[in-house]
């Protein structure tokens, strides 16, 4: 089994710069638009070709599923308009000091988990926006759950030090099989180097053959080399 490999702004950490759902993929303008469109076509979604808060860090700053999107208060009106042109879900600007919602929340269309340090009122707002139940937990004993795993409506690939009690929570919340692995030649922060939905997946350009095989099995996707 092979994997579509790519990089963004010369980096294999593609999950830092972009995010994918069942309906869109958000990619910064610093990637050539033709290449960005190839990724969108591979994932079978619409392309949102924009920045977030004037930065290229969409995967760090934003979190989304098919129902809604969480954005930091640094997001600009032009960026929101570009998102709305392709995304039909609820958009919520989180008016908090925290900005890295792509790192703080891990979401699919079936459920979401959040950093245990997020306030209860903000967790409620996250649940309302994403339209799913949200539980607060850690992955591998770490709170930045969005960077520690990738989830789709078909599977979860998480940090290799995932604890058994954490695995049970992920299975309960996302209602799909949970596996562990790495990306980009041993990086355990899976979310930083992997884009996926129920159609396909795109991994960072340094991802190895064995890692590709695990990704394909964990997320149940058909993949090929770029």
């Amino acid at each position: 089994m092979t994997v579509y490999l790519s990089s963004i702004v010369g980096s294999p950490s593609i999950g830092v710069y972009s995010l994918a759902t069942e309906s869109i993929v958000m990619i910064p303008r610093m990637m050539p638009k033709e290449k960005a469109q190839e990724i969108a076509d591979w994932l079978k979604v619409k392309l949102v070709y924009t920045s977030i808060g004037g930065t290229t860090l969409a995967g760090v700053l934003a979190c989304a599923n098919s129902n809604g999107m969480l954005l930091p208060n640094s997001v600009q009106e032009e960026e929101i308009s570009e998102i709305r042109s392709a995304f039909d879900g609820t958009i919520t600007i989180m008016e908090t000091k925290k900005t890295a919602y792509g790192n703080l929340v891990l979401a699919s269309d079936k459920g979401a988990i959040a950093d245990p340090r997020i306030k209860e009122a903000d967790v409620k707002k996250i649940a309302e926006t994403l339209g799913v139940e949200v539980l607060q937990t850690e992955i591998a004993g770490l709170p930045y759950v969005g960077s520690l795993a990738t989830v789709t409506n078909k599977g979860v690939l998480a940090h290799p030090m995932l604890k058994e009690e954490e695995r049970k929570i992920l299975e309960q919340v996302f209602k799909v099989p949970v596996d562990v692995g790495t990306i980009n030649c041993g990086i355990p922060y899976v979310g930083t180097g992997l884009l996926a939905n129920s159609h396909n997946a795109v991994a960072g350009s340094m991802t190895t053959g064995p890692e590709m095989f695990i990704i394909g099995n964990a997320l149940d996707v058909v993949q090929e080399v770029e």
Side-chain angles (χ1 to χ4, degrees), residues 82-100:
E82 289 167 341
I83 293 167
R84 289 193 188 281
S85 69
F87 182 69
D88 296 329
T90 302
I91 295 177
T92 297
I93 300 172
M94 301 295 291
E95 299 292 346
T96 69
K97 292 182 180 180
K98 298 182 185 301
T99 59

Side-chain angles (χ1 to χ4, degrees), residues 116 137-145 148 159 166 189:
T137 188
E138 296 179 334
I139 291 177
L142 300 169
Y144 302 108
V145 292
L148 296 162
H159 191 292
E166 296 167 345
Y189 292 83

Side-chain angles (χ1 to χ4, degrees), residues 5 19 24 94 109 139 151 167 182 188-189 197:
L5 299 178
L19 69 87
I24 64 156
M94 301 295 291
D109 294 347
I139 291 177
V151 60
R167 180 193 295 269
T182 58
Y189 292 83
N197 58 21

